[in-house]
Amino acid sequence: MLSRARAAHAWFRAFRRTRPFWGGVWLVAGGWTVLKFSLSSLQLIVSTGFGGVAGYLVGGGMILCGLIPLALPAQRYTFGLIGAVLAVVSLVVSNLGGFLLGMALGVLGGSMMVGSPGPGRAPAPRR
């Protein structure tokens, strides 16, 4: 039992170190926040048109931009940039970007993805 836990921890550690893990986590958290504050009844969304759907599209797009680089780390720059732009757009289309919290988490996550070292590259040693 203990060896399984150690093996799982070693796998997760290797997974986390070879991907923009924390950037993805923050971007997904920001997208979830934007999506959560955009929730309203389906009848209201259909009647308001694009203005009602925009919060769902932006929040869902932020979540996808946070999850895709975890599966494809080479695409971290593209999806980090798109996620950060969607986070800024959420300020306009979705209740001030999840009352500024979702936008801040999304911009933080997107910038962490863009600034993280690529797959297979170790960070520079500290001096």
Side-chain angles (χ1 to χ4, degrees):
M1 174 91 163
L2 189 57
S3 64
R4 283 187 186 174
R6 285 185 181 163
H9 178 67
W11 176 85
F12 181 68
R13 186 175 181 185
F15 176 83
R16 193 182 68 221
R17 289 183 178 214
T18 58
R19 287 161 172 74
F21 180 76
W22 289 111
V25 167
W26 292 121
L27 195 54
V28 168
W32 180 82
T33 305
V34 169
L35 197 61
K36 178 77 172 154
F37 288 121
S38 298
L39 293 177
S40 44
S41 68
L42 186 60
Q43 185 177 11
L44 178 66
I45 292 170
V46 170
S47 66
T48 58
F50 183 73
V53 177
Y56 286 103
L57 293 176
V58 170
M62 287 171 64
I63 290 172
L64 282 176
C65 286
L67 292 176
I68 289 174
L70 294 178
L72 301 169
Q75 300 298 321
R76 66 179 170 72
Y77 186 78
T78 303
F79 286 103
L81 192 61
I82 293 171
V85 168
L86 284 174
V88 172
V89 167
S90 75
L91 181 67
V92 177
V93 299
S94 173
N95 293 333
L96 290 175
F99 298 115
L100 299 178
L101 179 65
M103 184 194 73
L105 290 173
V107 169
L108 173 70
S111 61
M112 285 176 77
M113 276 194 201
V114 171
S116 68
R121 292 176 41 198
R126 293 183 184 184
R127 293 183 185 188

